[in-house]
Amino acid sequence: TSEFQLSDISSLLIIVLGNGVRQVSFFIIVSSASAYAEHLGGTATFSGLTIGIPTLFAGAALIPMVKTDQGQYRRALQISYISMFIGNILYALAYRAHYLYLILIGRIITGFGFTSFMYSKRYCSDPRIVGVRRRTTLASWLVVGQGFGFSAGPFIGGLLYRVGFSNDIFNGFTSPGWIMAVCWAVFGTIGLSVFVDVPPARPRSPAPDAGIQLANLGRSSPSEIDDSEEGHSRVTYRQWGVIMTMMWYAMTCFFILGAWESNIPVYSAVIFGYTPYNAGNFIALGGVTAFPFLILNVWYSRRVQDRVILALGSSLGLAGILIMLATIHTNTVHFGSFYVCWFLIALGFNLASTCTLSLLSKQLPPSWNGRISLAIQYSNYTGRVTGAIWGGAGVKVGMMNYLGLQIAIVGVGVMMHLTLWKELKAKTG
């Protein structure tokens, strides 16, 4: 039936696999970015900026791209592949040029390639090609790619740093850029030859009422909304609350994940004397341990409501932050406690990020998919940028303050979640 519809499988694979390679590109520099920046005269905060800055420029590029894409995906993929190729080369050349800001320029250009994070989410919830009972499942596969990226990326980056390759062109700092440039050249060529785009969207006539209109949200349960309806009911305050709650959680998940990913190399160097290689392995270990649970979530997401997945994920993540706060307060931080905290945070907030867009796409009419995809992606970007910078500055501002802000942000989300529990009901799958 239309509720279980799926797009062309080869195109879907390009979207899902491309998301995974993009995640590796994002995370492969995490373990060595701090040492690379310091080698060229930068600070730990600057390294956090190099991790987070791509998402800022991706966000700036999205508006003009969405206005001209006609509801299609090929042009966005082309921009992504070219930007990732050029940006990674510039990142690698910063060492030879001995120019700190070339790292930043390379990451900024790479950021234009990260616009496809939004297009991946939009594709997996596009009502023209994906049925309502497939959307959380596909979102779970995107999160599996996310888990793969933050496991494999830091490990590969740390390994390359340790091996070294001591020359001015290909060494422990520059090799992640060169390797990802080659990967994108190959994957982009295959992707563009295989991907089958959707037809251009037909321009819609303006609605007679200029006010914001949604599907028949006046029904007793949002899960009963027909995906094909355009409806004429105005948005109630609680329905706007659902939208704002999903945007807040989308920001929260990526703020905390980004903060920990950029903080671990800095904090572990102070506490345990870790090198970038050790820090990369530590980040990867948390991701590898969480990975089987993310795979399991692909199966369970077909049977469990989005609001339950969101509650479970945020609870696990919050538990990890609270345990870390307690161990720092009692001065009992050691490898085991630090690892447990990172595992809970990596698993919890990756799980929670599964359903932010899929839940909204089930409650709102098809014409809203582009807008909510954009809103959720901007929330993700906001979290990524601010989280990476906050994590890089975590040791400097004090770890208690660093964790306290995270608890406050999650606490706001929990309050919104509990207040709107009934309104967060949606179809499973």
Side-chain angles (χ1 to χ4, degrees):
T1 66
S2 61
E3 286 194 346
F4 293 91
Q5 177 186 357
L6 268 182
S7 69
D8 172 69
I9 296 299
S10 59
S11 300
L12 184 59
L13 281 173
I14 292 300
I15 293 294
V16 172
L17 292 176
N19 175 70
V21 180
R22 247 172 247 110
Q23 297 287 354
V24 173
S25 291
F26 189 92
F27 291 111
I28 195 169
I29 72 156
V30 166
S31 54
S32 59
S34 180
Y36 194 7
E38 287 173 11
H39 176 79
L40 296 179
T43 64
T45 303
F46 183 89
S47 75
L49 185 63
T50 64
I51 295 170
I53 198 70
T55 54
L56 183 64
F57 282 82
L62 270 179
I63 292 291
M65 287 179 66
V66 168
K67 284 185 175 179
T68 58
D69 65 18
Q70 297 182 301
Q72 295 185 294
Y73 299 91
R74 177 171 286 273
R75 184 187 300 170
L77 293 180
Q78 290 171 337
I79 292 172
S80 176
Y81 298 151
I82 293 170
S83 299
M84 300 300 283
F85 177 72
I86 296 173
N88 278 292
I89 289 176
L90 292 179
Y91 179 86
L93 288 174
Y95 187 94
R96 175 69 174 176
H98 202 76
Y99 182 46
L100 175 66
Y101 288 95
L102 193 56
I103 295 177
L104 207 58
I105 293 168
R107 291 292 285 173
I108 286 170
I109 294 174
T110 302
F112 296 123
F114 290 141
T115 52
S116 282
F117 281 138
M118 189 281 289
Y119 283 94
S120 298
K121 292 182 177 72
R122 194 179 85 179
Y123 188 91
C124 291
S125 60
D126 193 329
R128 295 172 294 174
I129 49 180
V130 179
V132 69
R133 291 191 180 274
R134 296 287 195 182
R135 295 176 194 172
T136 303
T137 304
L138 292 185
S140 299
W141 278 115
L142 293 182
V143 171
V144 167
Q146 193 172 293
F148 173 76
F150 84 78
S151 302
F155 173 76
I156 295 170
L159 182 62
L160 291 171
Y161 175 83
R162 178 161 186 173
V163 173
F165 308 105
S166 54
N167 64 74
D168 287 348
I169 303 297
F170 195 89
N171 54 53
F173 294 134
T174 66
S175 50
W178 291 120
I179 288 173
M180 291 314 304
V182 171
C183 287
W184 280 112
V186 174
F187 187 86
T189 303
I190 297 171
L192 292 175
S193 64
V194 170
F195 185 78
V196 179
D197 210 344
V198 298
R202 291 177 296 176
R204 294 184 297 113
S205 302
D209 184 351
I212 299 171
Q213 298 176 340
L214 293 181
N216 188 10
L217 293 174
R219 294 179 179 178
S220 58
S221 168
S223 65
E224 296 172 3
I225 296 171
D226 189 334
D227 195 47
S228 65
E229 295 178 19
E230 294 293 328
H232 301 285
S233 298
R234 288 187 179 276
V235 184
T236 67
Y237 288 120
R238 283 183 171 265
Q239 289 150 5
W240 271 115
V242 172
I243 296 172
M244 296 305 296
T245 299
M246 293 302 101
M247 290 176 63
W248 184 265
Y249 267 106
M251 181 279 294
T252 298
C253 292
F254 284 87
F255 176 86
I256 294 174
L257 288 171
W260 277 69
E261 287 148 4
S262 64
N263 178 260
I264 285 173
V266 181
Y267 180 69
S268 63
V270 173
I271 297 297
F272 305 123
Y274 278 5
T275 64
Y277 173 73
N278 299 134
N281 282 346
F282 184 87
I283 294 170
L285 182 61
V288 167
T289 314
F291 194 74
F293 296 95
L294 298 179
I295 292 286
L296 195 62
N297 183 54
V298 174
W299 187 82
Y300 273 107
S301 63
R302 304 173 192 172
R303 296 159 178 81
V304 179
Q305 287 188 15
D306 289 349
R307 60 180 179 174
V308 176
I309 296 173
L310 189 65
L312 175 62
S314 56
S315 298
L316 288 171
L318 180 59
I321 299 172
L322 291 173
I323 294 170
M324 187 66 188
L325 186 72
T327 57
I328 289 177
H329 181 69
T330 57
N331 200 28
T332 55
V333 179
H334 51 78
F335 173 83
S337 64
F338 194 31
Y339 165 70
V340 168
C341 295
W342 170 229
F343 163 71
L344 289 172
I345 285 163
L347 174 60
F349 289 112
N350 272 295
L351 277 179
S353 70
T354 300
C355 48
T356 49
L357 177 58
S358 61
L359 188 148
L360 290 178
S361 74
K362 295 170 185 177
Q363 294 199 8
L364 305 181
S367 60
W368 273 67
N369 189 57
R371 280 169 279 185
I372 59 175
S373 299
L374 203 58
I376 293 298
Q377 192 59 52
Y378 271 121
S379 301
N380 291 161
Y381 286 158
T382 301
R384 273 278 184 232
V385 174
T386 54
I389 295 171
W390 183 244
V395 172
K396 187 174 183 179
V397 301
M399 291 298 289
M400 297 293 282
N401 295 327
Y402 161 77
L403 294 168
L405 179 61
Q406 295 175 40
I407 293 169
I409 290 173
V410 178
V412 172
V414 170
M415 292 302 298
M416 297 169 79
H417 196 165
L418 293 175
T419 303
L420 297 168
W421 178 258
K422 289 183 180 179
E423 284 73 20
L424 292 172
K425 184 178 180 183
K427 290 179 179 179
T428 58

